[in-house]
Amino acid sequence: MRRSPLLRALLVQGALFNFFEQALITLYLVVALRTLGMSTSAVGILLGVGAALAARLSACVRRTVWWPSSWGSP
């Protein structure tokens, strides 16, 4: 990995993304539980529904995105 700047950049990007994603999820839970007064069950259901919708929408988007022929099939 020391010789590959691409792998190093991907590692740094992945680490930063995971760090800030976890910080955002933690902040989301604190706001939902304390500020909005939601129950833990409601937060869990909300997260589950959001994940299911994101998976469904990503499947729809993949079919409609234009892929240049030089990239190969998606």
Side-chain angles (χ1 to χ4, degrees), residues 24-45:
L24 185 65
I25 290 172
T26 302
L27 182 63
Y28 175 79
L29 287 173
V30 169
V31 168
L33 294 172
R34 292 189 179 171
T35 306
L36 299 177
M38 295 175 70
S39 69
T40 54
S41 299
V43 172
I45 291 170

Side-chain angles (χ1 to χ4, degrees):
M1 183 154 84
R2 292 180 185 168
R3 297 179 186 162
S4 177
L6 177 62
L7 286 178
R8 193 172 337 144
L10 287 171
L11 175 70
V12 170
Q13 187 274 334
L16 287 173
F17 175 81
N18 285 329
F19 174 77
F20 286 110
E21 179 192 20
Q22 292 303 314
L24 185 65
I25 290 172
T26 302
L27 182 63
Y28 175 79
L29 287 173
V30 169
V31 168
L33 294 172
R34 292 189 179 171
T35 306
L36 299 177
M38 295 175 70
S39 69
T40 54
S41 299
V43 172
I45 291 170
L46 185 64
L47 288 174
V49 168
L53 286 174
R56 179 65 181 135
L57 289 175
S58 68
C60 293
V61 169
R62 183 180 170 120
R63 292 185 203 132
T64 60
V65 171
W66 174 75
W67 292 91
S69 61
S70 62
W71 292 0
S73 63

